[in-house]
Amino acid sequence: MGIKISAQNINFFYGPHQALFDNSLDIEENKITAVIGPSGCGKSTHLRIYNRIYELYHDQRAEGKLLIDGKNILEKDVDLLKLRRKVGMIFQKPTPFPMSIFDNVAYPLKLHFNLSKKEISERVEEALRGVSIWDEVKDKLKKSGLALSGGQQQRLCIARTIAARPEILLMDEPTSAIDPIATLKIEDLLLKLKERFTIVIVTHNMQQAARISDNTAFFYKGKIIESGSTKKIFTNPENKKTEEYITGRFG
Ligand SMILES: Nc1ncnc2c1ncn2[C@@H]1O[C@H](COP(=O)(O)OP(=O)(O)OP(=O)(O)O)[C@@H](O)[C@H]1O
């Protein structure tokens, strides 16, 4: 099995505050890796290193190595635009732009790629089909993306991200703001998408982690306490803290 991402001895700082300690984690290609742990343990911080989005804030810094396809993306000469195209990110709350459904998906394509109108239309359709929402929206592509339901909005945002053809999808609690039925639809979608993408998902929902992920990493106080196959972590964890968290004894 290929390793797509390898975090090696990562430390992370918000100004003087150290939030991550010596994080090492391998992420397998075309698998879903769940990142779990109690609030404030560093899950989002860890994810934000993979596309160097933290650099938008001048006082945040990472130390260590973060290999993607074997290349250390923390080095100075990395093309951040290329990196962020390769590593797409989906957030907790669906964030459609205040524009039509079509333009929500077409916008980043127009911005970053030199494509003809026809190619853009094709890519928009491909992305909307890819998130299983095409049939629901094909007759109202000119309507506002904001008029969709929460679950549909989140699928639209995933379509927008995959239209740019990334290789990695980072998802920070992508279903925490939507209802249980829409959540199950997104979970089905992720199982389909992993054939094409490597997916890393932060979740507070243990059932969700158990249902959809192949691998799991358990974070606690900025450290990765345990990682490995989800089956093993959930049925036979090595660390007592992992077991306590998974069985709901703290959170
Ligand atoms: N912008 C920031 N400035 C300073 N400290 C921060 C900032 N963002 C997060 N932290 C701190 O870093 C630590 C890790 O936070 P992070 O948001 O990564 O945790 P998390 O596990 O994702 O939490 P949650 O599950 O609540 O989203 C916490 O101690 C938090 O207070």
Side-chain angles (χ1 to χ4, degrees):
M1 227 73 68
I3 300 296
K4 186 73 178 172
I5 305 170
S6 180
Q8 300 181 353
N9 311 105
I10 297 275
N11 294 305
F12 188 89
F13 302 84
Y14 290 103
H17 171 70
Q18 184 166 359
L20 298 180
F21 301 85
D22 204 29
N23 285 183
S24 291
L25 180 65
D26 283 344
I27 306 281
E28 282 184 302
E29 192 162 23
N30 295 111
K31 301 272 181 193
I32 299 179
T33 299
V35 172
I36 63 169
S39 193
C41 67
K43 303 179 296 294
S44 302
T45 303
H46 181 91
L47 230 62
R48 290 166 69 250
I49 299 173
Y50 293 10
N51 59 0
R52 279 175 61 174
I53 204 78
Y54 64 87
E55 284 187 356
L56 299 176
Y57 307 88
H58 73 278
D59 65 336
Q60 303 185 10
R61 70 188 168 88
E63 284 175 5
K65 277 190 189 166
L66 200 294
L67 308 183
I68 297 185
D69 294 326
K71 185 173 171 18
N72 183 10
I73 60 104
L74 295 185
E75 275 170 13
K76 273 209 176 74
D77 63 349
V78 166
D79 181 338
L80 289 182
L81 212 61
K82 259 196 190 159
L83 174 68
R84 288 172 192 158
R85 225 180 276 160
K86 186 167 176 165
V87 186
M89 196 156 195
I90 288 127
F91 300 94
Q92 186 169 4
K93 270 183 89 181
T95 50
F97 302 143
M99 50 178 79
S100 72
I101 293 171
F102 182 92
D103 283 341
N104 257 282
V105 184
Y107 185 74
L109 295 176
K110 289 178 185 163
L111 207 62
H112 297 301
F113 299 87
N114 193 10
L115 299 171
S116 69
K117 268 196 158 169
K118 183 168 173 283
E119 285 168 322
I120 288 183
S121 287
E122 283 168 3
R123 284 245 209 148
V124 169
E125 179 173 341
E126 177 193 287
L128 290 170
R129 282 189 189 282
V131 300
S132 311
I133 201 183
W134 176 250
D135 289 336
E136 290 159 65
V137 301
K138 66 175 190 283
D139 298 326
K140 49 178 179 181
L141 292 174
K142 290 199 174 132
K143 292 243 166 79
S144 169
L146 297 171
L148 296 169
S149 73
Q152 287 173 325
Q153 287 187 10
Q154 193 61 303
R155 280 187 284 152
L156 181 66
C157 293
I158 298 173
R160 186 170 68 204
T161 305
I162 66 172
R165 299 192 176 155
E167 295 173 24
I168 295 163
L169 293 179
L170 306 177
M171 303 192 161
D172 200 345
E173 299 185 56
T175 60
S176 65
I178 56 183
D179 70 67
I181 291 179
T183 293
L184 290 179
K185 277 193 186 166
I186 299 253
E187 289 182 8
D188 278 348
L189 173 63
L190 298 188
L191 290 171
K192 189 172 111 182
L193 290 177
K194 80 171 180 174
E195 290 170 16
R196 290 162 60 200
F197 306 98
T198 299
I199 300 175
V200 188
I201 177 173
V202 170
T203 181
H204 279 275
N205 180 333
M206 289 306 99
Q207 281 106 357
Q208 179 167 73
R211 270 195 302 264
I212 64 168
S213 72
D214 303 285
N215 298 312
T216 294
F218 170 59
F219 281 65
Y220 185 65
K221 293 188 176 169
K223 295 186 177 144
I224 300 178
I225 302 298
E226 190 166 349
S227 64
S229 88
T230 297
K231 204 170 170 197
K232 166 110 176 38
I233 299 267
F234 276 74
T235 54
N236 188 20
E238 273 166 27
N239 191 288
K240 200 162 183 307
K241 267 269 169 287
T242 315
E243 188 188 347
E244 285 173 1
Y245 182 71
I246 284 181
T247 53
R249 263 175 275 169
F250 71 100

